[in-house]
Amino acid sequence: MRATIMYGAGDVRVETVPDPVLQQPTDAIVRVVRACVCGSDLHPYHNMPATPGGSPMGHEFVGVVEETGREVSTLKKGDFVIAPFAWSDGTCDFCREGLQTSCRHGGFWAGNGIGGGQAEAIRVPLADGTLVKAPVGEDSELMPSLLTLSDVFGTGYHAAVKGGVNQRTTVTVIGDGAVGLMAVLSAKRLGAERIILMGRHKTRTDLGLEFGATDVVAERGDEGIEKVRELTGGDGTHVVLEAVGHMPAYEQSLGVVRPGGVISRVGVPQYEEAPIGFGTLFGPNITLTGGPAPVRAYIEELMPDVLDGKIEPGKVFDHTVGLDDVAEGYRAMDFRESLKVLVRP
Amino acid sequence: MRATIMYGAGDVRVETVPDPVLQQPTDAIVRVVRACVCGSDLHPYHNMPATPGGSPMGHEFVGVVEETGREVSTLKKGDFVIAPFAWSDGTCDFCREGLQTSCRHGGFWAGNGIGGGQAEAIRVPLADGTLVKAPVGEDSELMPSLLTLSDVFGTGYHAAVKGGVNQRTTVTVIGDGAVGLMAVLSAKRLGAERIILMGRHKTRTDLGLEFGATDVVAERGDEGIEKVRELTGGDGTHVVLEAVGHMPAYEQSLGVVRPGGVISRVGVPQYEEAPIGFGTLFGPNITLTGGPAPVRAYIEELMPDVLDGKIEPGKVFDHTVGLDDVAEGYRAMDFRESLKVLVRP
């Protein structure tokens, strides 16, 4: 089959690799119907050292079950499934608590002998725990929106849930990438009446307004902080959803959060040390939370509104490529010509 | 009157200063019945640059109202009162939310023209919002326990509340100082069944066991982390209450917190930058919370059990000095000869 392999920064290739086969009785083989390129795929696209063996890519996909191991009991050939970006057993204490990203037997795609989603097919470990069936055919128009349940929508939702968003909280979302826009949609879903979106790409912030943002702040740095404070009577917002991951976004979070408030991060931090002392988090009793989203915990909750067409998170996809053109998809996202690229194997 | 003034590191003096007088119609004058020395008073005792004008000291006291301004409506001469370590109006949005440390009109003792509690008397601003009446006479044996409501007990309780302690959470308390021991008592009060106290002073950890700790870990650093992990099946605890404030205590918190768990800090951080990236907080979805405790929010809640004698937080006081000997109190706490020093003006 064909699969996407990254060999180093900027070096994305689609190659013929062996077809995936069942290895464990709990495995399933899934034919990928749609995959996509994640903002976090751009980190290795910028930084990956040249790697002769390459690394499979992609951790978001929906597809059709082709084959199941003998211990798989909830899935059968032909089922349409959504895959969260981490695989998990669904039975350990962490999974039962809804923290499938810390599953005692789970892991992540595209590593340790597991392929990536930007491919024609993939072996899914712990298939019963990992995959969620969706009652649609693979020709459904809902495909892009269902695919967002694999990562971006669940990630934005995790930010909002961990941030404690509700109808009494004001919210700032930092970042107008796909996750930031999903954080807006999620904050709206959880009842927030005031959602300030910080981003400077008009087509994206326009989509953010459609998803529920009430204000857009295009300014960055101190000017952006000042603007949010102006909009909130000088106080900042109860919750800040940080969907970028770079230090300036964290600094911006500190600048716009209200005393007693919460900064919820889902942008993968590209730093390790940061200010958290008396002058930043401690003095004003700010809570810092977030992390890799256990999207598996949210798929069943979010899917009905997608199936009903009540929400259309799939609008974040503004560009579609065939698998052979996936390198062009990376390039388009990197150059910000595309918000998020759908891959059709 | 006599009051404690610090002129620099190690230089604590008791001097005659002008008696406090009403300045605002919302003020009260309180005669101090008991005060104490706080672990956080030791920070300036170690680091304060020589200051010719000196700085008044003390932010924990109970006393008797001597005089009230004309707008004070809930207090009268002779009332016995507990003062939280921040004064606050009790009416602004932050106060109503229970974050009196961020009161829009409030502030802290021993600064900006407000005296300290280690004195014979003190002017209390915004007396209606700040002070809480207690139905006792100044000769009550409950005096030490009531005094803990002024800071240490409320601070330990804040740690536990922000940490989300309940009967389903396991807890590690870092630090066997007075606040750490109060954090143990608070975790017990909130239902925690497993409370691991990290501390190496046996008389203190013995008191911790009396307050509800189930395990004591005397080891520090990696060895201490390993010990806590052994006690918790390798996982660490759901909640860590950090009651020290130095970087090694933060590092220890990172080492003993379970994925998805909470580190709640009430030790005043003596650092600004610290690790919070993928390898520490983000990857395992750890929440970092805490800050200066709005103890005013907890006094009414915690007082009944103190009045009933159901709990005896005042046991943290193991040394009493008269006001003239307060410098000796600082020295004894600094040399760890005393856990916490009560001051009797």
Side-chain angles (χ1 to χ4, degrees), chain B residues 104-332:
Chain B
R104 294 193 185 275
H105 306 104
F108 297 86
W109 308 109
N112 300 311
I114 313 291
Q118 293 161 8
E120 289 184 289
I122 188 165
R123 176 172 74 92
V124 175
L126 302 170
D128 279 332
T130 303
L131 298 170
V132 180
K133 278 192 280 193
V136 296
E138 61 184 284
D139 55 349
S140 165
E141 286 180 0
L142 297 173
M143 218 44 51
S145 285
L146 290 169
L147 179 58
T148 66
L149 296 172
S150 186
D151 183 348
V152 275
F153 190 12
T155 293
Y157 196 63
H158 184 60
V161 167
K162 293 289 280 184
V165 172
N166 61 39
Q167 59 275 24
R168 293 179 307 282
T169 52
T170 51
V171 178
T172 302
V173 174
I174 297 181
D176 59 9
V179 171
L181 298 181
M182 294 291 94
V184 168
L185 185 67
S186 300
K188 174 79 177 173
R189 181 186 165 83
L190 292 170
E193 289 170 8
R194 185 78 183 271
I195 303 169
I196 301 169
L197 173 59
M198 301 190 80
R200 56 191 179 134
H201 303 88
K202 191 165 182 310
T203 52
R204 300 178 182 195
T205 55
D206 281 350
L207 186 53
L209 290 167
E210 193 181 324
F211 282 155
T214 52
D215 305 84
V216 169
V217 170
E219 291 83 353
R220 312 174 90 184
D222 289 345
E223 214 184 331
I225 290 169
E226 179 119 345
K227 204 71 184 277
V228 173
R229 294 204 163 262
E230 267 171 35
L231 289 170
T232 54
D235 287 337
T237 55
H238 298 95
V239 185
V240 179
L241 308 179
E242 198 281 80
V244 178
H246 291 287
M247 182 58 95
Y250 178 70
E251 289 165 345
Q252 209 144 71
S253 303
L254 293 173
V256 301
V257 67
R258 185 175 180 275
V262 183
I263 298 170
S264 184
R265 295 183 297 172
V266 288
V268 180
Q270 302 302 302
Y271 51 85
E272 190 57 43
E273 302 251 328
I276 63 168
F278 199 95
T280 49
L281 295 187
F282 190 85
N285 268 281
I286 306 301
T287 295
L288 177 66
T289 190
V295 294
R296 178 64 185 82
Y298 305 124
I299 296 176
E300 281 101 337
E301 179 182 349
L302 298 175
M303 188 160 54
D305 281 358
V306 170
L307 293 174
D308 291 351
K310 205 169 141 188
I311 50 177
E312 280 190 76
K315 286 187 175 180
V316 293
F317 293 106
D318 58 355
H319 195 61
T320 299
V321 295
L323 183 56
D324 288 335
D325 296 322
V326 72
E328 161 58 17
Y330 276 77
R331 194 205 57 76

Side-chain angles (χ1 to χ4, degrees), chain A residues 56 64-65 88 131 160 182 195 263 320 322 333:
Chain A
V64 172
V65 175
S88 54
L131 298 170
M182 293 292 95
I195 303 169
I263 297 170
T320 300
M333 273 180 68

Side-chain angles (χ1 to χ4, degrees), chain B residues 34 144 317-322 325 329 338 340-344:
Chain B
R34 294 289 186 284
F317 293 106
D318 58 355
H319 195 61
T320 299
V321 295
D325 296 322
S338 170
K340 192 164 175 73
V341 171
L342 192 81
V343 180
R344 189 194 290 256

Side-chain angles (χ1 to χ4, degrees), chain A residues 37-99:
Chain A
V37 182
C38 183
S40 69
D41 292 335
L42 297 182
H43 295 313
Y45 189 72
H46 293 145
N47 307 324
M48 184 178 172
T51 307
S55 178
M57 294 299 296
H59 53 262
E60 301 157 279
F61 61 95
V62 295
V64 172
V65 175
E66 290 292 320
E67 202 182 347
T68 56
R70 65 175 188 280
E71 287 179 19
V72 174
S73 63
T74 62
L75 300 162
K76 60 178 194 308
K77 183 173 160 66
D79 283 343
F80 184 86
V81 290
I82 298 167
F85 75 78
W87 44 273
S88 54
D89 63 19
T91 56
C92 76
D93 51 346
F94 286 116
C95 284
R96 291 196 311 270
E97 291 167 23
L99 192 65

Side-chain angles (χ1 to χ4, degrees), chain A residues 93-94 97 99 101-102 104 158 162 233 235 238 247 250 258-261 265-269 271-294, chain B residues 93-94 97 99 101-102 104 158 162 233 235 238 247 250 258-261 265-269 271-294:
Chain A
D93 51 346
F94 286 116
E97 291 167 23
L99 192 65
T101 43
S102 293
R104 293 192 186 277
H158 184 59
K162 294 288 280 184
D235 288 337
H238 298 95
M247 182 58 96
Y250 178 69
R258 186 175 180 274
R265 294 182 300 171
V266 287
V268 180
Y271 51 84
E272 189 58 43
E273 301 251 329
I276 63 167
F278 199 96
T280 50
L281 295 187
F282 190 85
N285 268 282
I286 305 301
T287 295
L288 177 65
T289 191
Chain B
D93 49 348
F94 286 116
E97 291 166 23
L99 191 65
T101 44
S102 293
R104 294 193 185 275
H158 184 60
K162 293 289 280 184
D235 287 337
H238 298 95
M247 182 58 95
Y250 178 70
R258 185 175 180 275
R265 295 183 297 172
V266 288
V268 180
Y271 51 85
E272 190 57 43
E273 302 251 328
I276 63 168
F278 199 95
T280 49
L281 295 187
F282 190 85
N285 268 281
I286 306 301
T287 295
L288 177 66
T289 190

Side-chain angles (χ1 to χ4, degrees), chain A residues 227-314:
Chain A
K227 204 73 184 278
V228 173
R229 293 204 163 263
E230 267 171 34
L231 288 170
T232 53
D235 288 337
T237 56
H238 298 95
V239 185
V240 179
L241 308 179
E242 198 281 80
V244 178
H246 292 288
M247 182 58 96
Y250 178 69
E251 289 165 344
Q252 210 143 70
S253 303
L254 293 173
V256 302
V257 66
R258 186 175 180 274
V262 183
I263 297 170
S264 183
R265 294 182 300 171
V266 287
V268 180
Q270 301 303 302
Y271 51 84
E272 189 58 43
E273 301 251 329
I276 63 167
F278 199 96
T280 50
L281 295 187
F282 190 85
N285 268 282
I286 305 301
T287 295
L288 177 65
T289 191
V295 294
R296 178 65 185 79
Y298 305 124
I299 296 176
E300 282 101 337
E301 180 182 348
L302 298 174
M303 189 159 55
D305 282 356
V306 171
L307 293 173
D308 292 351
K310 206 169 140 188
I311 50 176
E312 280 190 78

